[in-house]
Amino acid sequence: MDDHPVDPGTVGRPATENKETIVGRKAELKRLFRTVDNASASERVLVLSGDAGLGKSALLESAMRWAGESGVRVLRAEGSESEATLLYSGLHQLLRPVVGAVDQLPERQRAALSDAFGTGPAEGAPDLMLIGAALLGLLSDLADRQPLLLVIDDAQWIDRASLDALAFAVRRLDAEPVTLLVGVRTGDPLPALDRHWPTLALAPLAAAAAGRLLDHQPGSPTGRARDQVLDQAGGNPLALVELARASTSPGSDPTGPLPLTGQLERIFAARLTELPESTRRSLLLLAAMDTADAAAFAAGGLPGAEDTAWLPAERSGLVRRTSRAIRFGHPLMRSAVYHAASLDARRAAHRALADLLGDAPDRRAWHLAAAAPGTDADVAAALEQTADRARRRGGYAAAAQALQRAADLAPDRAESARLLVAAAGTAVFTGELAWVDELTTAARERTDDATLLVTAALHVSRLTTLTTRHTLAFSRLTHTARQWAATDPDAALDMLASAAVVRFYSGEDTQRQEIARVLARLPRDERSAWRRAWVRTVSDPAGSRAELTTRLPQLIADAEHRPERLTTLAIMAWLLDETPRAVSAFDTAFDRWQVHGRLPEGLGGAAAWAYVEYGRWEQAREACAQITASASTIGLDHAVACAAAVDAAVLALQGEAAEARSRAAEALALIDPLESRSVAVYVRRALGTAYGADGAYETAYDQLRLAFTAEGDPVHYHASYPALAELAAAAVRTGHRDEACSIVERSARRLGDGASPRLRALISRARALLADPEDAEPCFREALADPVFEHWPFERAQTLLDFAEWLRRRRRIAEARPLLTSALEVFQRLGARPWVERAQAESRAAGIDVAASTPDALAGLSPQQQQIIRLAARGLTNREIGEKLFLSPRTVSSHLYRSFPKLGITARSQLRDLVEGTLVATAGNQE
């Protein structure tokens, strides 16, 4: 028999004496138990999906009991419709049993969680990732004491901010014995949760199992009634139980035309007629309130869990009672009770609850909204204040919901439109384009105020820029810009600025022409000069490079105290290959940027690429971690893909070819290569580097060749050109010299005078590699002639190494040696292991005693371990390192523990000398 006895009570609470039986779910239980047992293995998350009544909660409770019996600590949160708009209510419910452990967190993390729960001052903008890092640290601390199981039931009703924080933390629990089980209704999307998490979909019970479950019910029906129940239930366990119960009630008819959930709600509602009026009133209040209202519920003189007023409802099967709490037996029972009441009765229940919640203004505002018979300016104002508090605490979804409801209640249409536009601006930060569209469409229906309509459209454009639907986004943005060119040129220019970002992502050349046409229609004035410069730079950096680079220093100086503007100008500097200026501006902007958890929209990966090019690879990977953490929280796949592409490039340069290929695959899985040519080219460059580092030159050439069209033109007008030298290097090893020559010269002609010194140096290196041996020297010397090339240390070191190899083969050993020494120093400093090995081999062939030099002690570690070691050497604690890299302290500790034997040390105190010794031995690093 596949029957499993289940206690329906909540773990940690006194259980009722009733027992339920799980039938027909042996495989599902086995999967759940295996996930709980393997908390330290790869599958630490399992999403349990299914329709209402299929038994998700019963299965999760069985898993919780299994965990408890195995010595696992269980924390649980259960979503409810009434709490879906209450910021961090799900997280607060989950952590309520361990609230004391929050006090053990470092001050910044403790303050972040206090702000999230509304118990802190919430001064200034929220640091959303710090909240996630605080949760990560807390769960890691708890798991240090005993394995931990987190259970989120009815996750479709858990507030978005809580899901965001939980997903952020769980993705980073690498070394901790922590398991997450999530129950969610089929068809309810959970945008905060990782789409790649394994899902166990519950199907209806098979016929035999459904029959056995029906046999377990008291007074199980027989004959035609039994067939009728089995047919109507369709394998739904809750339906089987409740239809069987209804079939034995006098005068009941469990069949009918309603959908199954409607039939069940009708059955539950029918039971209310048999209950005393006081019990029905208490049930309605229970249905109308959220779990956080419980204290006020009791304080207001309403029946407590121990009150006998609940006995009739308990006997009817509508509620379950413990010594501390009353819970509906199923969410459908709550819905049935609530909707069976008249509209006036529901409003009265919400008014009663609002009267009890004077010290909880946010919950009070929502109850007042539910009690409002029509428009109400005071309640709308209260909801706007709730939205403001939610926004300050980082709850953008909750804030947007409050503003949307406030707009419904605002008596004045203009005020309603203003609130909808504000809601759209806030909803941008949820990443849900459809919702932003819905809000702005509603605003347009309520006002013809040009300023409001422009603001609404700009909100949509901000989010559209960050989606992966670049063709659609560009069309919408430029269409609006054309419409406003004459009536509101400032707004049109803002639209065009967003369109330029989309043009960069897509790489579609016809979009450059469209941007130029619209830009020509807009009037010029000094106030908009920097935005025009932005549009031109992003859409066509080589087109007016000389003019733009001349203006850039003054633009940056004018923005010195405006971090958001400074970041925009840093991106422009990067696009123009003014990398030192870009890095300096990024550093300054980030030091002053108050919202550390969220980079400005558009081209956020530019900072990471600038750090890569400048030789600050560790900082580049930190930027990738930040971008990934922020963008994945709000479902911005394109930004996540950009960060993964940069990360893949750094890993490839460090010789971590397998990891690089894995990250590249992640990036490609998130985008359409024809819609996101920039990311596609970045990935091909990373893969070409990875395969080349492994000596697989034919595959490397194939990957790099994909950065150019079949005719030899760049696939992307900015991302493709830096691949030219590496394409040439792979071509000479694989017999593709002629094709590569054609591509290099075609690119050089396209760039013309717009080529930056960096690109001119790379093209000269490519020509040197592809030239006949006797003709290569002038090209090598041309590549190294401009001292500005030193600002791209890795690319210059590659050129030095290539030239040294050419010199040595011509037996010009004395000339080759200093070039080899310089190249080797750079490769060692950067941790570019394949190039270190190649430069060492070439140095030995040139008679240089490289064995006597101090090797890079960190070369044997993974890139992440190297990051951790370098931060630890600077004196950062495990928790500080984890906060910086978005890892748990336990994960940091695990990496340190595995790294020490490889480094030949036994104590943390030795790290500084070891790392500084490495850096001294590879002197010549760039500040």
Side-chain angles (χ1 to χ4, degrees), residues 689-751:
T689 302
Y691 284 113
D694 274 352
Y697 298 115
E698 189 68 49
T699 307
Y701 182 83
D702 290 342
Q703 291 294 331
L704 293 164
R705 182 64 181 81
L706 290 171
F708 301 88
T709 66
E711 295 76 22
D713 291 322
V715 167
H716 189 273
Y717 62 94
H718 183 269
S720 290
Y721 291 122
L724 287 169
E726 287 304 290
L727 179 77
V732 297
R733 291 175 168 87
T734 55
H736 296 289
R737 186 187 300 266
D738 291 343
E739 182 180 51
C741 280
S742 174
I743 292 172
V744 169
E745 297 308 320
R746 195 177 182 106
S747 292
R749 288 193 298 272
R750 285 178 67 100
L751 284 167

Side-chain angles (χ1 to χ4, degrees), residues 526-588:
E526 190 57 35
R527 194 166 45 86
S528 64
W530 79 270
R531 285 183 297 167
R532 292 184 71 92
W534 165 266
V535 171
R536 293 169 62 199
T537 301
V538 176
S539 60
D540 186 17
S544 306
R545 186 180 184 280
E547 176 198 343
L548 292 167
T549 52
T550 300
R551 300 184 56 199
L552 195 59
Q554 187 58 51
L555 290 172
I556 290 176
D558 293 343
E560 183 179 2
H561 300 292
R562 302 180 65 178
E564 187 172 4
R565 173 83 59 84
L566 189 58
T567 305
T568 300
L569 294 168
I571 294 170
M572 289 172 57
W574 169 71
L575 288 166
L576 294 167
D577 271 340
E578 293 289 307
T579 304
R581 188 166 278 130
V583 168
S584 175
F586 278 129
D587 286 347
T588 302

Side-chain angles (χ1 to χ4, degrees), residues 408-562:
D408 293 338
L409 292 170
D412 181 71
R413 286 180 64 83
E415 176 66 3
S416 176
R418 181 189 69 81
L419 290 166
L420 284 168
V421 171
T426 304
V428 163
F429 294 103
T430 69
E432 295 183 33
L433 180 58
W435 189 16
V436 176
D437 264 339
E438 174 193 336
L439 292 166
T440 54
T441 299
R444 284 194 292 270
E445 292 171 353
R446 300 183 197 188
T447 186
D448 56 3
D449 184 301
T451 302
L452 269 182
L453 293 176
V454 166
T455 303
L458 288 174
H459 289 328
V460 176
S461 78
R462 291 172 71 196
L463 183 53
T464 305
T465 301
L466 300 175
T467 69
T468 57
R469 298 157 61 190
H470 300 312
T471 301
L472 173 62
F474 185 85
S475 174
R476 291 173 61 167
L477 291 166
T478 51
H479 174 73
T480 307
R482 286 193 303 272
Q483 283 184 318
W484 292 348
T487 58
D488 196 337
D490 280 347
L493 188 53
D494 283 337
M495 283 290 180
L496 210 56
S498 293
V501 174
V502 177
R503 144 75 171 156
F504 180 88
Y505 286 147
S506 75
E508 172 57 51
D509 202 49
T510 58
Q511 294 178 354
R512 174 185 59 81
Q513 300 161 11
E514 176 64 11
I515 287 173
R517 282 193 291 268
V518 179
L519 189 62
R521 296 170 58 184
L522 301 179
R524 297 173 181 269
D525 61 67
E526 190 57 35
R527 194 166 45 86
S528 64
W530 79 270
R531 285 183 297 167
R532 292 184 71 92
W534 165 266
V535 171
R536 293 169 62 199
T537 301
V538 176
S539 60
D540 186 17
S544 306
R545 186 180 184 280
E547 176 198 343
L548 292 167
T549 52
T550 300
R551 300 184 56 199
L552 195 59
Q554 187 58 51
L555 290 172
I556 290 176
D558 293 343
E560 183 179 2
H561 300 292
R562 302 180 65 178

Side-chain angles (χ1 to χ4, degrees), residues 167-514:
F168 177 98
V170 170
R171 289 188 195 107
R172 290 159 179 81
L173 287 166
D174 295 330
E176 290 79 357
V178 179
T179 305
L180 172 64
L181 300 180
V182 180
V184 62
R185 283 194 186 175
T186 300
D188 286 310
L190 295 177
L193 297 185
D194 193 321
R195 73 183 73 177
H196 302 299
W197 282 348
T199 298
L200 175 59
L202 286 187
L205 293 177
R212 292 203 307 275
L213 179 59
L214 191 57
D215 290 338
H216 281 289
Q217 306 313 306
S220 176
T222 58
R224 183 175 178 276
R226 175 186 175 85
D227 293 340
Q228 211 171 24
V229 167
L230 287 170
D231 180 62
Q232 286 289 309
N236 186 297
L238 178 67
L240 283 163
V241 172
E242 298 303 334
L243 290 172
R245 181 171 186 159
S247 71
T248 60
S249 300
S252 67
D253 178 13
T255 65
L258 292 176
L260 182 58
T261 54
Q263 291 185 50
L264 290 172
E265 286 198 19
R266 186 180 65 180
I267 290 170
F268 298 144
R271 295 180 195 167
L272 293 172
T273 60
E274 305 168 3
L275 302 178
E277 174 60 27
S278 60
T279 302
R280 291 202 301 272
R281 187 168 54 249
S282 296
L283 282 171
L284 178 57
L285 285 166
L286 184 65
M289 77 179 200
D290 58 68
T291 56
D293 295 335
F297 186 86
L302 298 167
E306 73 289 344
D307 198 295
T308 56
W310 294 110
L311 282 175
E314 187 176 21
R315 284 195 294 265
S316 73
L318 290 172
V319 299
R320 293 171 176 169
R321 189 162 60 119
T322 72
S323 60
R324 292 186 297 171
I326 295 290
R327 291 174 53 199
F328 280 104
H330 192 275
L332 287 179
M333 297 175 185
R334 176 194 288 267
S335 178
V337 168
Y338 187 79
H339 292 289
S342 67
L343 186 57
D344 287 342
R346 295 201 298 268
R347 288 172 179 159
H350 285 293
R351 277 196 299 272
L353 288 167
D355 290 343
L356 297 173
L357 293 169
D359 59 347
D362 295 337
R363 302 205 309 279
R364 182 173 187 272
W366 278 107
H367 283 300
L368 287 172
T375 58
D376 190 313
D378 291 338
V379 178
L383 281 171
E384 187 172 13
Q385 292 171 358
T386 287
D388 184 56
R389 284 188 291 269
R391 194 164 36 223
R392 290 201 307 270
R393 292 158 60 196
Y396 295 106
Q401 288 167 332
L403 288 167
Q404 185 175 16
R405 183 69 178 109
D408 293 338
L409 292 170
D412 181 71
R413 286 180 64 83
E415 176 66 3
S416 176
R418 181 189 69 81
L419 290 166
L420 284 168
V421 171
T426 304
V428 163
F429 294 103
T430 69
E432 295 183 33
L433 180 58
W435 189 16
V436 176
D437 264 339
E438 174 193 336
L439 292 166
T440 54
T441 299
R444 284 194 292 270
E445 292 171 353
R446 300 183 197 188
T447 186
D448 56 3
D449 184 301
T451 302
L452 269 182
L453 293 176
V454 166
T455 303
L458 288 174
H459 289 328
V460 176
S461 78
R462 291 172 71 196
L463 183 53
T464 305
T465 301
L466 300 175
T467 69
T468 57
R469 298 157 61 190
H470 300 312
T471 301
L472 173 62
F474 185 85
S475 174
R476 291 173 61 167
L477 291 166
T478 51
H479 174 73
T480 307
R482 286 193 303 272
Q483 283 184 318
W484 292 348
T487 58
D488 196 337
D490 280 347
L493 188 53
D494 283 337
M495 283 290 180
L496 210 56
S498 293
V501 174
V502 177
R503 144 75 171 156
F504 180 88
Y505 286 147
S506 75
E508 172 57 51
D509 202 49
T510 58
Q511 294 178 354
R512 174 185 59 81
Q513 300 161 11
E514 176 64 11

Side-chain angles (χ1 to χ4, degrees), residues 840-891:
Q840 286 176 333
E842 193 65 28
S843 296
R844 293 188 189 98
I848 301 173
D849 185 9
V850 293
S853 64
T854 304
D856 184 348
L858 307 186
L861 304 181
S862 71
Q864 187 171 74
Q865 287 172 337
Q866 292 185 31
Q867 283 183 289
I868 291 169
I869 289 294
R870 292 181 188 277
L871 292 172
R874 283 159 44 185
L876 276 67
T877 66
N878 289 359
R879 196 177 292 278
E880 290 168 337
I881 295 170
E883 194 172 301
K884 195 173 185 67
L885 300 181
F886 308 108
L887 301 170
S888 72
R890 186 187 181 107
T891 298

